[in-house]
Amino acid sequence: MSTQHHDVVVVGGGNAGISLAAKLRRDGLRDVAIVEPKQVHTYRPLLSYVAAGMAALDDLRRPQSRVIPTGCRWYADEVVAVEPVARLVHLAGGGRLTYEDLVVCPGSSVDWDAVPGAEEAMRTPAASTSYLPDLAPKTWTLLSSLRAGTAVFAVSGQHVPCAPVALKPLFMAADAWRRSGVLRDIHIELLVEGDCLVHHQRADEELRATARAYGVRLRTGTAVERVDPATQVLRLTTPEGPDTLHYDALFLAPPHRAPDWVSAGGLGSGETGGFMAVDPHTLQHPSHPTVWGLGDVAAVDALPSGGALRKQVPVVAHNIAARRGGRRMRRYDGYSVAPVTTSRRRLLLAEFDRTGRPEP
């Protein structure tokens, strides 16, 4: 079993890992390794545009080798375990990596187990999601071909990456239905598990007004507990109690979970829902000072989004050097951004911190 040592090991070759590795290299670190098993890099922020009929999968895919920053060592392998006390990363291929600092940013994945029947529903013609690359094109095919019936859009409250962008397929479909003259024949239900569409008061008010203008019935505090794909019926939990809802077209923004090795290695806990525990300001693990988290995997008490990396990446890069030099660390204020298309010609851009304060 071979063991390789690197100054910084970055777990994850998505937007977070690639951005951070590039920043570290620009800052002068020579020995940066990236662990990423996928051979194709998917620019995930564009998936909602694919699902809204405004982009194609080819627009957001590149060979992973083309996006690895120059000078970084790429391990095309998967992490199966982390031992933070020993500063050791175990790879599926049998190799091991040691490090001076470890940055954990593998993203999150859809947790189909949280909603029984949901995964089976995705295999039917009547349901889809924008949160899986292979299903994003199907979403627009499903929505754009609907001419009458009930269209249900359900947004989970359980760590959905940039949940407000799940509204893009809804508004783009409603705009298309209006332009083709069938909007009046389609009943649109928007089920949101939380109490708002976005944690930015003015943006939330505008999104609600847009939904009303399209005739959308908005139900907050409403969660999908189960999907029956055979009958196309949703079992709901609502503020008034259990309910059911039939759908002709179903779009899900489903719950997500972190990789199992995050909790198994002591980097997450039940309190964080299995996601990685970090100081929400410094992005440093509270018990392991040489371990850092950013992106969707980290519990930062803020909306996870691709745009949040604009503030998170410089904080982690600076703080790795600050820890080593005994200097003061920078702080991440929870900045995030929710870009929501409200029609083919209009985009609402909500930027805010973890308290909901606007940060345009």
Side-chain angles (χ1 to χ4, degrees):
M1 181 183 297
S2 64
T3 301
Q4 300 291 326
H5 181 80
H6 295 281
D7 192 6
V8 178
V9 172
V10 178
V11 178
N15 297 333
I18 293 298
S19 300
L20 179 71
K23 172 66 173 168
L24 292 173
R25 289 286 297 163
R26 288 196 300 272
D27 289 349
L29 286 183
R30 296 184 176 274
D31 186 16
V32 179
I34 298 174
V35 182
E36 171 54 57
K38 296 185 181 68
Q39 294 292 323
V40 176
H41 176 88
T42 299
Y43 185 69
R44 300 189 68 86
L46 268 181
L47 283 174
S48 59
Y49 284 95
V50 174
M54 301 183 72
L57 277 182
D58 287 346
D59 297 331
L60 58 151
R61 285 178 164 170
R62 301 287 186 275
Q64 188 70 32
S65 59
R66 286 180 53 188
V67 300
I68 297 293
T70 302
C72 292
R73 171 72 181 273
W74 174 31
Y75 291 88
D77 208 335
E78 185 175 0
V79 171
V80 293
V82 173
E83 296 182 52
V85 175
R87 298 194 187 185
L88 188 62
V89 176
H90 296 267
L91 304 180
R96 305 191 306 179
L97 304 177
T98 57
Y99 56 84
E100 297 302 317
D101 283 274
L102 172 69
V103 183
V104 178
C105 47
S108 59
S109 59
V110 174
D111 184 6
W112 291 122
D113 294 338
V115 184
E119 185 173 19
E120 293 81 356
M122 295 297 117
R123 302 191 190 106
T124 72
S128 193
T129 182
S130 63
Y131 284 87
L132 292 174
D134 292 342
L135 288 179
K138 175 191 173 185
T139 299
W140 186 244
T141 299
L142 167 65
L143 297 175
S144 62
S145 62
L146 189 67
R147 291 293 176 265
T150 299
V152 179
F153 298 79
V155 182
S156 172
Q158 301 177 46
H159 205 95
V160 178
C162 204
V165 303
L167 300 176
K168 286 180 186 176
L170 185 163
F171 290 143
M172 296 306 296
D175 184 45
W177 292 330
R178 180 172 59 187
R179 286 185 287 108
S180 63
V182 301
L183 181 60
R184 63 182 179 274
D185 299 318
I186 298 175
H187 175 65
I188 308 173
E189 293 264 0
L190 174 56
L191 315 178
V192 179
E193 192 168 348
D195 58 3
C196 63
L197 298 181
V198 62
H199 290 287
H200 179 295
Q201 183 177 353
R202 183 177 175 185
D204 186 64
E205 291 171 353
E206 186 161 340
L207 290 175
R208 287 172 182 259
T210 300
R212 286 194 298 271
Y214 284 124
V216 176
R217 182 192 181 194
L218 170 62
R219 301 169 68 178
T220 58
T222 301
V224 176
E225 293 296 320
R226 177 179 293 273
V227 182
D228 187 339
T231 61
Q232 296 181 195
V233 170
L234 305 177
R235 309 290 175 180
L236 309 178
T237 298
T238 78
E240 293 76 32
D243 197 2
T244 60
L245 179 61
H246 172 81
Y247 65 86
D248 296 291
L250 171 64
F251 172 87
L252 285 180
H256 281 60
R257 64 185 177 195
D260 292 339
W261 53 262
V262 171
S263 290
L267 300 180
S269 67
E271 292 182 359
T272 60
F275 287 83
M276 182 176 172
V278 296
D279 181 309
H281 301 287
T282 65
L283 305 181
Q284 184 181 42
H285 193 277
S287 302
H288 306 291
T290 62
V291 180
W292 313 81
L294 76 161
D296 294 346
V297 77
V300 297
D301 190 29
L303 174 71
S305 72
L309 298 174
R310 185 167 70 86
K311 296 294 185 73
Q312 292 181 10
V313 166
V315 166
V316 173
H318 172 88
N319 288 350
I320 287 175
R323 179 195 68 80
R324 297 178 179 188
R327 303 195 308 274
R328 183 176 180 178
M329 292 190 180
R330 289 183 182 172
R331 293 171 67 83
Y332 167 60
D333 66 359
Y335 168 89
S336 194
V337 55
V340 182
T341 50
T342 57
S343 74
R344 292 193 73 85
R345 294 182 177 272
R346 293 180 63 85
L347 173 76
L348 180 145
L349 187 65
E351 298 175 280
F352 49 93
D353 65 14
R354 61 170 51 92
T355 68
R357 182 176 63 88
E359 279 198 1

